[in-house]
Amino acid sequence: MENHGYQHYREQQGQNILEMGQNELLLLLYDELVKQLTRCDLAITHENFALLDDSADRALAILRYLDDTLDLQYEIGRDLHRLYDYFSYELNRVKLGRNKAELDKVRPMLTDLRDTFRAANKNCAEGKGGPTAPPAEPQAAGR
């Protein structure tokens, strides 16, 4: 009976993902990425290198997916590609060298990037996605 409840939960979770928009899915990926980096930190602290390898591999897979979805014809896509490449390089250094210092350098940057996407998504949802019309001309002094 308990297994049936879990199965229902998994089916509902899968349905929720199918109903999400692109922005929500992007935020979900970034949340999972930050979660995996936190698991890497715990794994290094407790010297659980199997967990470190698993968590780093999952984080790298997310970065690869995010990189694969970029449209490189736009400057922002090319900039994000360079960032993802850097983060992947550093995470491989974390994984192979069991290097907490590198993780402590990269994790806040990825958390900030996630928070930036979250703020942009919120601004778009509130209709603050940026100017839709050119700014008004400044008034000349003395008019």
Side-chain angles (χ1 to χ4, degrees), residues 36 39-40 43 48-60 95:
Q36 294 304 322
R39 288 181 64 193
C40 286
N48 183 344
F49 300 124
L51 177 62
L52 173 63
D53 290 344
D54 181 58
S55 300
D57 287 342
R58 289 176 187 225
L60 287 164
K95 178 183 171 188

Side-chain angles (χ1 to χ4, degrees), residues 57-120:
D57 287 342
R58 289 176 187 225
L60 287 164
I62 292 169
L63 284 170
R64 271 192 304 276
Y65 178 79
L66 290 170
D67 190 45
D68 288 345
T69 62
L70 294 174
D71 188 345
L72 298 179
Q73 78 178 10
Y74 299 104
E75 185 177 349
I76 186 69
R78 293 187 300 270
D79 291 343
L80 283 170
H81 171 71
R82 286 190 290 274
L83 273 175
Y84 294 153
D85 189 45
Y86 168 76
F87 292 139
S88 295
Y89 173 78
E90 292 299 324
L91 282 177
N92 275 307
R93 290 182 66 197
V94 168
K95 178 183 171 188
L96 297 173
R98 316 292 193 223
N99 194 333
K100 187 168 176 5
E102 292 301 319
L103 180 61
D104 290 342
K105 181 172 71 172
V106 171
R107 187 167 57 153
M109 288 188 270
L110 278 163
T111 302
D112 287 347
L113 187 59
R114 177 205 52 191
D115 294 343
T116 300
F117 275 106
R118 180 169 282 127

Side-chain angles (χ1 to χ4, degrees), residues 135-141 143:
E137 292 291 321
Q139 296 292 326
R143 279 193 181 181

Side-chain angles (χ1 to χ4, degrees), residues 10-38:
R10 295 292 293 177
E11 289 171 5
Q12 185 64 36
Q13 188 178 28
Q15 185 63 33
N16 289 343
I17 288 174
L18 291 174
E19 294 172 0
M20 287 182 170
Q22 287 181 333
N23 293 341
E24 293 170 308
L25 288 171
L26 180 66
L27 292 175
L28 187 67
L29 282 169
Y30 272 107
D31 286 341
E32 184 63 24
L33 179 58
V34 171
K35 174 182 156 186
Q36 294 304 322
L37 295 176
T38 301

